Amino acid sequence: MASSHQVFQFPLNISYQEFLPYYRGEVNKVEVVDIKGRTLWINARHFRPFLSSIGIKAYFTMVVDGQGNLISLTKI
């Protein structure tokens, strides 16, 4: 049900070297702060597709369901 979905928007700026422990699975969660000041911990595997040689430097929209399960993570 769409009304139970939550939408978060946040920037992520992490270098390639800084992201390597996340990519390797040594660290599980990426901590971000959304535009409303809420701290979020997101499983690092969701960011792997966005990793480039410079790291991840982008603005994202994330949608989760009522139980906090990820529905979508979109680079905007």
Side-chain angles (χ1 to χ4, degrees), residues 1-68:
M1 180 175 264
S3 63
S4 65
H5 293 170
Q6 283 192 296
V7 178
F8 301 93
Q9 293 183 329
F10 56 89
L12 182 59
N13 185 355
I14 187 169
S15 73
Y16 181 83
Q17 289 297 322
E18 290 172 321
F19 193 76
L20 281 179
Y22 297 96
Y23 191 83
R24 292 182 190 131
E26 297 165 10
V27 181
N28 292 345
K29 306 282 184 192
V30 176
E31 182 178 317
V32 299
V33 177
D34 80 349
I35 60 172
K36 294 184 179 177
R38 297 173 290 193
T39 301
L40 309 169
W41 292 272
I42 305 164
N43 194 303
R45 68 183 156 86
H46 298 303
F47 291 103
R48 286 181 184 164
F50 303 105
L51 182 63
S52 73
S53 61
I54 62 166
I56 303 171
K57 297 183 185 342
Y59 204 82
F60 291 91
T61 296
M62 180 177 71
V63 180
V64 298
D65 66 17
Q67 288 75 47

